[in-house]
């Protein structure tokens, strides 16, 4: 007799065996399934919007960069922003064309790509220029405002070999350039300064020039100034000073400072000489021990 086919049920494990095999009871697993699904839902709710935000920000940044690049290309290449005018103000010794040429700025250049710092440095090298300001005025104008040095005197600097170089000095006593064609020449001349003094003590030379300019200012307020314009101031090595005045090149030896009283005294003496119809070649007012004594020299 053949055995009858029967469905054999799998063996049933007791609840404590199942718990021992998985480490968790069946009841515990059933309770954790909803918690897991909830955690997954919260993760999706938080992460997906964040990712979308990052992607959106990247897209916006890319668009912004593209717009910025396009705008830059436009302003750097558009004829609208080509330099059409270079306006110069404050200049007397240099023309607009000269300063524009020195700046290396040119009509037709793009106003944004033009190097204003380089232009500033180039113009500032000009000895006549004390200060310079450069600015853009859109769409196509460059503004150049300069402050020039004011020439106050010509300074003759003598060399050891007897040669002399003439420089233009400012009102601050600075010899800022060598005299050239086109520079002012109708200025008082200061002599007696040596090349050695300039090399060894340039600040001291500047102070000497300032004292000479102060003397020139004092002379301009005397009655002599209208009669005989000041032509030259000579600064001697011993600290004494003499001046040359008028077309006749009359010399006034003033000695050591102060000079105002000596200039007033010279004015009175020369007025008396004129009254008498005489002529003087030199007037000596350098006797500091006898300041009331004046010596007049004249050719006989």
């Amino acid at each position: 007799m053949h055995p009858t086919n029967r469905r054999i049920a799998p063996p049933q494990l007791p609840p404590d065996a199942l718990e021992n095999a998985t480490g968790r009871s069946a009841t515990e697993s059933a309770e954790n399934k909803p918690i897991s699904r909830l955690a997954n839902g919260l993760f999706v709710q938080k992460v997906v919007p964040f990712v979308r935000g990052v992607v959106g920000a990247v897209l916006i940044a890319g668009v912004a960069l593209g717009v910025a690049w396009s705008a830059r290309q436009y302003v750097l290449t558009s004829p609208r922003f080509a330099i059409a005018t270079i306006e110069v103000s404050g200049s007397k010794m240099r023309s607009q064309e000269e300063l524009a040429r020195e700046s290396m700025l040119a009509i037709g250049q793009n106003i944004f790509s033009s190097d204003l710092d380089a232009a500033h440095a180039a113009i500032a090298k000009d000895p006549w220029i004390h200060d310079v300001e450069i600015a853009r005025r859109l769409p196509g104008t460059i503004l150049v405002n300069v402050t020039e040095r004011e020439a106050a005197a010509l300074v003759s600097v003598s060399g050891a070999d007897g040669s002399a170089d003439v420089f233009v000095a400012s009102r601050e006593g600075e010899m800022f350039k060598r005299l050239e064609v086109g520079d002012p020449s109708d200025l008082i001349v200061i002599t007696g300064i040596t090349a050695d003094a300039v090399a060894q003590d340039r600040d001291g030379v500047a102070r000497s020039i300032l004292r000479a300019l102060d003397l020139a200012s004092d002379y301009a307020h005397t009655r002599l100034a209208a009669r005989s314009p000041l032509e030259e101031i000579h600064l001697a090595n011993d600290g004494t000073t003499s001046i040359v005045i008028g077309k006749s090149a009359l010399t006034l030896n003033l000695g050591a400072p102060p000079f105002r009283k000596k200039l007033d005294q010279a004015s009175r003496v020369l007025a008396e000489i004129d009254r008498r119809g005489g002529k003087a070649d030199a007037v000596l007012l350098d006797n500091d021990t006898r300041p009331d004594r004046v010596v007049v020299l004249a050719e006989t």
Side-chain angles (χ1 to χ4, degrees):
M1 174 184 248
H2 296 285
T4 307
N5 292 330
R6 290 184 303 169
R7 187 175 183 181
I8 302 174
Q12 298 294 324
L13 296 175
D16 56 342
L18 179 63
E19 180 178 354
N20 292 334
T22 62
R24 293 182 302 175
S25 66
T27 305
E28 219 179 328
S29 283
E31 290 175 351
N32 285 341
K33 285 182 180 179
I35 296 175
S36 177
R37 286 196 297 270
L38 178 62
N40 290 336
L42 291 174
F43 176 79
V44 171
Q45 291 177 5
K46 292 181 178 180
V47 172
V48 171
F50 173 76
V51 172
R52 288 176 179 172
V54 170
V55 172
V58 171
L59 290 175
I60 292 172
V63 171
L65 288 175
V67 171
W69 184 87
S70 300
R72 174 180 171 79
Q73 289 300 109
Y74 172 73
V75 299
L76 292 179
T77 58
S78 173
R80 173 177 172 75
F81 298 108
I83 296 176
T85 307
I86 301 176
E87 294 184 5
V88 177
S89 60
S91 176
K92 295 180 181 178
M93 297 305 302
R94 291 290 185 253
S95 67
Q96 176 170 318
E97 291 75 17
E98 287 174 319
L99 290 176
R101 185 168 58 251
E102 289 178 358
S103 72
M104 295 176 292
L105 299 171
I107 303 299
Q109 287 181 352
N110 182 271
I111 196 169
F112 291 104
S113 63
S114 299
D115 192 340
L116 299 194
D117 290 337
H120 183 283
I123 294 176
K125 290 180 181 178
D126 190 311
W128 279 108
I129 305 303
H130 174 69
D131 192 20
V132 57
E133 295 177 352
I134 305 179
R136 298 178 178 91
R137 187 173 69 192
L138 300 179
T141 300
I142 297 291
L143 303 176
V144 180
N145 181 48
V146 298
T147 302
E148 291 183 337
R149 291 181 172 87
E150 185 177 357
L154 301 178
V155 180
S156 179
V157 179
S158 57
D161 59 355
S163 62
D165 293 319
V166 181
F167 294 85
V168 183
S170 69
R171 293 196 176 276
E172 292 73 35
E174 177 191 8
M175 294 188 298
F176 63 90
K177 73 180 303 293
R178 205 178 285 268
L179 182 66
E180 298 174 323
V181 176
D183 290 340
S185 57
D186 56 341
L187 301 169
I188 61 169
V189 178
I190 300 173
T191 60
I193 293 177
T194 65
D196 286 342
V198 174
Q200 296 173 11
D201 188 9
R202 197 174 185 91
D203 289 340
V205 169
R207 290 192 293 270
S208 296
I209 294 173
L210 280 174
R211 286 194 294 270
L213 294 175
D214 288 341
L215 171 56
S217 178
D218 289 342
Y219 184 84
H221 291 87
T222 66
R223 288 178 293 177
L224 280 176
R227 173 189 182 275
S228 303
L230 179 61
E231 302 291 342
E232 178 185 335
I233 299 176
H234 181 75
L235 306 175
N237 291 333
D238 60 1
T240 61
T241 303
S242 60
I243 62 176
V244 177
I245 62 174
K247 293 181 180 179
S248 62
L250 172 63
T251 299
L252 303 180
N253 288 339
L254 300 176
F259 299 121
R260 288 188 180 182
K261 289 183 178 180
K262 294 179 179 182
L263 290 174
D264 290 339
Q265 193 174 25
S267 181
R268 291 192 297 269
V269 169
L270 292 177
E272 181 62 20
I273 291 175
D274 290 342
R275 188 184 68 81
R276 296 180 182 184
K279 182 179 179 182
D281 295 312
V283 179
L284 310 183
L285 304 107
D286 54 353
N287 191 339
D288 293 328
T289 59
R290 293 282 306 274
D292 58 327
R293 184 179 178 183
V294 177
V295 177
V296 179
L297 302 179
E299 291 184 359
T300 57

